[in-house]
Structures are given as structure tokens and as C-alpha cells.
Amino acid sequence: MGDDMAGDGLAVVSGGGTGIGRAIAARLAGEGRRVVTVGRRAAVLEQAREEIEREAGPGRIVPVAADLTDPAAVAAAADRIAGLGPVDALVNNAGAIVTPPEDDSLAALARSWRHDLDVNLLTAVLLTTALQGALRRPGGRLVVISSAAAQRGGAGPHSAGSYAAAKAALHGWAFGLARQLGPDGITVNVLAPGYIEETEIFGAGWSEEFHARKVADTLVGRAGTPADVADAVAYLVSPACGYVTGQVIGVNGGAVLGR
């Protein structure tokens, strides 16, 4: 996407089969882009493709199944993506909160943290590094999806803490990328969503009390939606966003004030 182009280029969205990633893919496809959705579950990606293309039209979604914690799988996926043309926008959305350690041992804690760092941090680092040479110069857009937990800290002693730490690590990494890629005309920004309903993280199993507490924590009196995040991404990957880079932007209804 050069600065003179509309939204008709190639975008890559990791974790694009469900929740926030699916909403981002749908939004960008609706703007006329081709969107590569990357995720571990081929069947989930295919279902999302069928649903999105009912609205956006055929040929807009290219599902690529890959485990983004596996360097060999990332390299293979990147080769396939690079063959589709220059990448105008890369949205690193893949990530999850993992289960707590299986026991109280340090070994179990180490396994839990390493897994969470792999899923929430290494996935973005590997995919971005593999595709860095394919980013359009000038005009490429790179967006990293973080979390308000990176700014507030995790709520639990184990897995939530590692999730917050992994997401916070994305910020420093993205700042370095912004410095590195800025001279090439590529912007790098971080989005930090707060409480977003209709996602696998905040899905079934959470109590009404939990929901009410999260909503009360906002200034606007409602939960966020995947579409709220997708709207922000659509701006950050647009030609209009050429002078915004190296920023952390909260999408949290005011639950975390600007910092």
C-alpha cells in the first residue's frame, strides 16, 4: 500500500480465524483488500473464509494454516505469502491466555511461562521477521495487537502474569521496529485492547459479575467488540496513517487512560 493507494492491497492477519482477528480480516476484506489469514486450525480458517466472502466477495481471503511458534512452519507460510505480492499491511494478532501451571513446582511454572511467551510474543517476532523483506517500501503498515494487561499487569499469580509480561514485551520490540523501518516508510504501531466481548479469551464461562465489573471499569459504560478493534486497525493500516508510528493506542473504553 503506497501512500497514494486506497485499501486494495495485500494484508496479512495472524489469528485471523476467530474473534478480533476474524473481525480485522472481515473489515479489511470489506475495503477491497486481499487478506491472508494465518492460524493453527485449517478448518476454522476455512469457515471464516466462507463467511467473510459471503459479504466481501470471492477471492478476498487466503487461509494459510501454520503454527507460528514453529520456525519452519513460519518460513513455509512466509514463502507462500510473499508469492502473492508485496505485503501492504501485517497485523500480528495471534495470541492467547494459556492454562496455569499444572502444579506448584518451578519446572511447571517455567513451562507455563515459556509456552505463553511463545504464543504471545514469539509468534509475532517470527512472522514479522519472515515477512519483513516482503513489506511494501514505502507505505507498509505493521500493527501489533497487545493488551491492556501489558499496561495494568496480569490479574493472576501465574498464567495471567506471563500473558501481561509477553504482551508488554511486544511494546519494546515494536518500538525498535518503528525506529528500524521508519526510514523505509513503514509504520509500526501497537493496539492494546481492553475488555472485548465475543472472543475466545472473554467467551463462555465468565460470570455476569465478571462482565459487570469489566464494564464498570470503563468510562463509556459498555464492553468493547472485535469491530471496535478492527476499526482502529483499519485506520492504522490506511494511507492516512503515514505520520503515526511507534505508538501504543488503547482500545479500552477508558479503562486505562493514555500513557
Side-chain angles (χ1 to χ4, degrees):
M1 174 181 57
D3 288 344
D4 58 344
M5 293 181 65
D8 59 351
L10 179 67
V12 178
V13 180
S14 69
T18 61
I20 289 173
R22 185 194 180 287
I24 293 168
R27 173 62 188 269
L28 299 183
E31 293 181 347
R33 299 174 188 266
R34 287 180 302 155
V35 182
V36 178
T37 54
V38 186
R40 291 179 295 106
R41 298 170 292 181
V44 171
L45 292 175
E46 179 59 24
Q47 180 179 351
R49 181 196 66 78
E50 293 176 358
E51 294 171 351
I52 292 170
E53 288 187 349
R54 288 191 198 117
E55 298 292 331
R60 289 298 174 189
I61 303 295
V62 181
V64 174
D67 179 353
L68 295 180
T69 66
D70 179 348
V74 174
D79 285 345
R80 181 178 174 190
I81 294 166
L84 299 174
V87 175
D88 300 282
L90 170 57
V91 183
N92 284 295
N93 168 73
I97 296 178
V98 301
T99 55
E102 64 269 20
D103 58 48
D104 292 333
S105 69
L106 290 178
L109 181 62
R111 285 191 296 271
S112 176
W113 271 71
R114 288 186 181 120
H115 184 265
D116 215 353
L117 289 168
D118 281 351
V119 170
N120 292 289
L121 174 61
L122 191 64
T123 51
V125 172
L126 290 179
L127 184 61
T128 300
T129 302
L131 288 176
Q132 191 166 311
L135 290 171
R136 188 179 293 279
R137 291 167 166 80
R141 303 284 186 258
L142 203 161
V143 177
V144 179
I145 306 298
S146 174
S147 169
Q151 300 163 308
R152 304 180 69 171
H158 297 307
S159 63
S162 58
Y163 175 80
K167 291 298 189 181
L170 287 172
H171 296 195
W173 170 68
F175 296 157
L177 277 179
R179 292 182 181 276
Q180 175 187 346
L181 298 177
D184 291 336
I186 297 171
T187 65
V188 183
N189 291 289
V190 177
L191 278 185
Y195 176 45
I196 307 295
E197 289 186 309
E198 305 167 28
T199 66
E200 291 186 333
I201 290 178
F202 294 122
W206 297 99
S207 68
E208 287 297 322
E209 291 77 13
F210 173 86
H211 170 79
R213 186 168 64 252
K214 287 293 187 180
V215 169
D217 203 27
T218 72
L219 303 182
V220 298
R222 70 170 178 88
T225 68
D228 289 320
V229 182
D231 287 342
V233 169
Y235 167 65
L236 289 176
V237 302
S238 72
C241 198
Y243 202 58
V244 178
T245 194
Q247 304 303 308
V248 177
I249 300 168
V251 184
N252 56 51
V256 179
L257 300 180
R259 57 178 67 172

